[in-house]
Amino acid sequence: MKILMMSVRDDEEAAIKSWSERNNIKVDTVDWELHPDRVSELGGYDGIVIQQRSKVEGEVYPALKAAGIKQITTRTAGFDVIDLEAARENGLTVTNVPAYSPRSVAELALAHTMRLIRKLEIFDERAAKQDFRWAGLQAAEIHSLTVGIIGAGRIGGTTAKIFDALGAKVVAHDLVEREELKSFVTYMSKEEVLQKADVICLHVDLNPSTINLIGRDELALMKPTAYLVNECRGPVVDTDALIEALEQKKIAGVALDTLTGEEKFFNFNLQNKELPSQQLVRLRAMENVILTPHVGFFTNIAVQNMVDISLDDVVAILNGEKSEHQVS
C-alpha cells in the first residue's frame, strides 16, 4: 500500500513519519494541491490525502477513478472544496477529520475573547506609539459576561465548557441540543443569543445554510458593547456587513481567525506588498479588530491527530471497511 499526502507543511513531517513507521506503510509527501495538472502524478498510489483551500475541479474526479483511486481524504474538518456528488458518481469515498482537537479551536476562542474584553489589541496599538494611557479602556471580567455559542457541536460544546468553568453564563443555539451540555448551557433561538450575549462565538460548519449566517440583520440584534468571534469559516459572516457594523459602532469589536477569500493572503508573507483584498485593508485599519491567519487548528495535538486520523481512514477505506468519518 502506498499513500500520497498533498499540501504537506514542514511541521507535519514528523507526525507523518511516525505514523508510517508504526503502520509499516509508505507515505510520500508533496507540497502541491490536487488539481487537474497533478493527477498524472498519482500513478502507483493507492490512496490520497489532501488539505487545500481551493476547490477540486470537476475533471479531477473521473481522472482519479481512471487512475484507480477509490477515495479522497481531507485532513480537515471542512470539506466544501470537494464536490460530493461528483465524487459519488466516480465511486470515490470522501472522509474528513471532524474533531482533530476541539480544544485547539476552543482555546483560541477563549484567547481571542480575553484579548477583546481586556482591550489588549488597543493597548498594543497605543504602546507602539508610546501612548501608555488607559483612559476609556476599562475591561470586563469574564465571569460577569454572557457568552453566546452559535453551533454547539464538538468544538462549540468544548468552548461552552471552558467559558462555564471560568464563571461566564453560557447560552447557545444549535439545531441539535446536546443533553450533556444542558446542565450549564441555556439553549435558545439564534436571535435570542445575538440579543443577550456579550460575546458571540461562531462554531458552525460551512454549508449552503450557513453562508452569511451573520449578516446585517443579525449584527443589528447584537448589543453595541458586544464582541463577535469567528473561529469557523469566513463565509459564515457577511464581511461587508461586518465592516459596516464596526465602522458605525454597532458592535464593540471582532476577532477573526478566518475570512472570506483568505486563500489569497492567509499563510503568505505579504510584507511590503499590496494586500489583495480591500476588505482586509479596512479591517486591519481598525483598532478593535483582531486577525489571525486561520491558526485555530495549529497546535501540536491537533496536527498529530489530523495526520493520524486521516491516514487511518485511508487504510480503512482501502481495506473495504467503513470509516465513521465518511461524508459522501
Side-chain angles (χ1 to χ4, degrees), residues 219-230:
L219 290 164
L221 293 175
M222 293 175 60
K223 302 175 184 178
T225 55
Y227 297 98
L228 180 69
V229 177
N230 185 9

Side-chain angles (χ1 to χ4, degrees), residues 79-327:
F79 49 88
D80 51 289
V81 299
I82 301 171
D83 184 332
L84 297 183
E85 182 61 22
R88 185 192 64 77
E89 290 174 353
N90 288 279
L92 299 164
T93 299
V94 179
T95 64
N96 72 333
V97 183
Y100 41 81
S101 177
R103 282 196 68 97
S104 67
V105 182
E107 288 179 4
L108 183 62
L110 171 63
H112 276 159
T113 298
M114 294 301 291
R115 284 192 64 81
L116 287 170
I117 67 175
R118 296 308 299 245
K119 324 286 188 183
L120 296 182
E121 204 74 4
I122 302 176
F123 276 118
D124 286 348
E125 291 282 344
R126 289 188 180 183
K129 301 172 184 175
Q130 299 182 200
D131 179 356
F132 301 105
R133 294 173 299 168
W134 61 69
L137 299 182
Q138 186 181 72
E141 295 184 21
I142 200 160
H143 62 86
S144 69
L145 302 179
T146 297
V147 176
I149 310 291
I150 296 181
R154 295 182 182 91
I155 296 173
T158 302
T159 304
K161 291 176 184 177
I162 289 174
F163 280 112
D164 173 68
L166 292 172
K169 179 180 179 181
V170 183
V171 298
H173 172 70
D174 199 301
L175 298 178
V176 177
E177 298 186 2
R178 296 167 60 189
E179 289 298 323
E180 66 270 25
L181 299 181
K182 287 185 177 180
S183 63
F184 59 91
V185 171
T186 302
Y187 281 97
M188 54 186 61
S189 70
K190 182 182 72 173
E191 290 74 19
E192 289 176 308
V193 170
L194 291 167
Q195 290 171 334
K196 294 180 182 298
D198 300 295
V199 180
I200 303 289
C201 294
L202 304 177
H203 295 293
V204 299
D205 295 332
L206 181 62
N207 58 61
S209 69
T210 60
I211 293 174
N212 290 339
L213 182 71
I214 304 298
R216 284 183 177 82
D217 292 343
E218 288 74 22
L219 290 164
L221 293 175
M222 293 175 60
K223 302 175 184 178
T225 55
Y227 297 98
L228 180 69
V229 177
N230 185 9
E231 310 290 4
C232 52
R233 303 301 292 273
V236 169
V237 177
D238 181 334
T239 307
D240 288 330
L242 174 63
I243 292 171
E244 179 184 292
L246 289 164
E247 291 178 339
Q248 296 178 6
K249 302 188 184 306
K250 293 181 178 179
I251 62 173
V254 65
L256 303 170
D257 188 49
T258 180
L259 196 60
T260 299
E262 66 183 50
E263 65 277 3
K264 298 176 183 177
F265 41 83
F266 280 175
N267 206 25
F268 290 98
N269 184 354
L270 300 178
Q271 292 183 81
N272 303 316
K273 296 180 181 179
E274 183 178 348
L275 293 176
S277 164
Q278 280 303 304
Q279 293 176 331
L280 181 59
V281 171
R282 293 172 70 185
L283 287 167
R284 288 187 69 249
M286 301 181 201
E287 63 180 7
N288 58 343
V289 173
I290 298 173
L291 291 170
T292 50
H294 210 145
V295 293
F297 78 98
F298 198 44
T299 66
N300 54 342
I301 293 173
V303 170
Q304 183 72 60
N305 287 344
M306 292 168 84
V307 168
D308 289 350
I309 294 170
S310 63
L311 288 169
D312 286 346
D313 282 345
V314 174
V315 173
I317 299 302
L318 295 181
N319 285 335
E321 302 168 4
K322 185 175 176 64
S323 164
E324 64 178 307
H325 307 129
Q326 289 180 209
V327 295

Side-chain angles (χ1 to χ4, degrees), residues 37-89:
D37 61 335
R38 294 294 189 175
V39 175
S40 62
E41 300 183 46
L42 303 184
Y45 290 102
D46 304 292
I48 59 173
V49 179
I50 69 171
Q51 181 181 35
Q52 62 191 62
R53 294 172 177 167
S54 52
K55 288 190 177 295
V56 178
E57 296 90 340
E59 57 264 44
V60 169
Y61 302 94
L64 290 177
K65 180 180 180 180
I69 300 294
K70 293 180 169 47
Q71 51 68 235
I72 303 174
T73 289
T74 177
R75 58 188 185 279
T76 58
F79 49 88
D80 51 289
V81 299
I82 301 171
D83 184 332
L84 297 183
E85 182 61 22
R88 185 192 64 77
E89 290 174 353

